[in-house]
Every structure is written in structure tokens, then in C-alpha cells.
Amino acid sequence: KKRPNWGVRYKSQIAGVRLMAQKTPQRAFISNISLKDGEDLSELRDRLRLLLRNSSISVTGEIALRKTNNSSGSGRQACFALVPCDVKMAIKCLNNTQYDGLVLKVSKEVSKEKREQQREWNGSSGFGGDWKGPES
């Protein structure tokens, strides 16, 4: 009778624990950032780094910036950023604060899969805009 190779199994379990321990860094989703006239995204990234540094939030990687399709009503282009940092600290320090005439919104990044699941759930709830409630 052949004995199982317990050493291989044990090593694979340790490797699995290591993989579970290596978390992907969390990113803060910061929306409603104002892009000034004539300013490019690299200049905005520098301004955002300065804001985060002044708020004692250390950035642990590259800041990803994107322009949004709609403007904020102020005539300026609005942007959002994904910032690898301490998300709880970013929310505590920057959420609902005014920056360059706009109120920043800060939250934890939601993965694309979770956003799609939320859209599916919201779209299939059965309670459309014309629902009046139970008939009495």
C-alpha cells in the first residue's frame, strides 16, 4: 500500500495561506474632482498628491485619473481618481470636503464584477418608477 505524500500536501496548504495573506491594495474612489481650464491630467495628479500629503494620507502606488462625461455645472471638466492608500483614512479626511469649488466624494473602490451585480439587482428588483404600492 502506497502512503500519501503528506509533505506535498502540507507545502501546498502553506502556499495557499500565503496567497490568501497577499491582499491586493485597496484603492479609494474619489469623485467630483475639478479639472481647471488648460490643465492636463498629470498636473491634476500632482495637485491631488499634494492634497493627500497635506491630509496625512500616504499614497502607496500610482494614482489613476479619468475624465467624466458630464461637467459639474461650473463649466469645468469633472474627473475621478482611484488612489491606492488607506481607504478609511481617505474617507474620514476627504469625504464631503470642498476642493476647488466642488464637494469631493470618497468611497472604497468597488470591483467591476460587483458593480455589474449591483446593476443587475437594482434593475430586476421589480419595483419600477411607476409602482404605486399595494392597492387598498
Side-chain angles (χ1 to χ4, degrees), residues 62-78:
E62 189 63 31
I63 298 173
L65 284 170
R66 298 288 183 271
K67 294 180 183 179
T68 58
N69 293 334
N70 56 353
S71 66
S72 60
S74 63
R76 296 191 225 173
Q77 178 74 42

Side-chain angles (χ1 to χ4, degrees), residues 6 9 13 31 35 44 46 54 62 71-72 85 87 91 93 105 107 109 111 113 119 121 124 127 131 133:
W6 293 107
R9 182 175 179 201
Q13 287 175 340
S31 62
L35 184 65
L44 178 59
D46 293 339
N54 290 341
E62 189 63 31
S71 66
S72 60
C85 63
V87 177
I91 292 171
C93 293
K105 299 292 180 188
S107 62
E109 176 190 24
S111 70
E113 294 82 22
R119 282 189 197 125
W121 175 255
S124 65
F127 298 108
W131 189 71

Side-chain angles (χ1 to χ4, degrees), residues 102-118:
L102 297 176
V103 177
L104 297 178
K105 299 292 180 188
V106 184
S107 62
K108 182 179 173 184
E109 176 190 24
V110 178
S111 70
K112 189 174 185 178
E113 294 82 22
K114 285 186 180 180
R115 279 196 314 265
E116 289 172 358
Q117 287 174 353
Q118 288 172 349

Side-chain angles (χ1 to χ4, degrees), residues 21 43 45 58 65 83 91 105 122 131 136:
E43 294 169 331
R45 187 175 288 113
S58 62
L65 284 170
V83 182
I91 292 171
K105 299 292 180 188
N122 290 339
W131 189 71
S136 353

Side-chain angles (χ1 to χ4, degrees), residues 29-33 41 44 48 63-68 78-82:
F29 177 77
I30 304 175
S31 62
N32 215 17
I33 305 168
L41 290 179
L44 178 59
L48 192 56
I63 298 173
L65 284 170
R66 298 288 183 271
K67 294 180 183 179
T68 58
C79 299
F80 68 87
L82 291 170

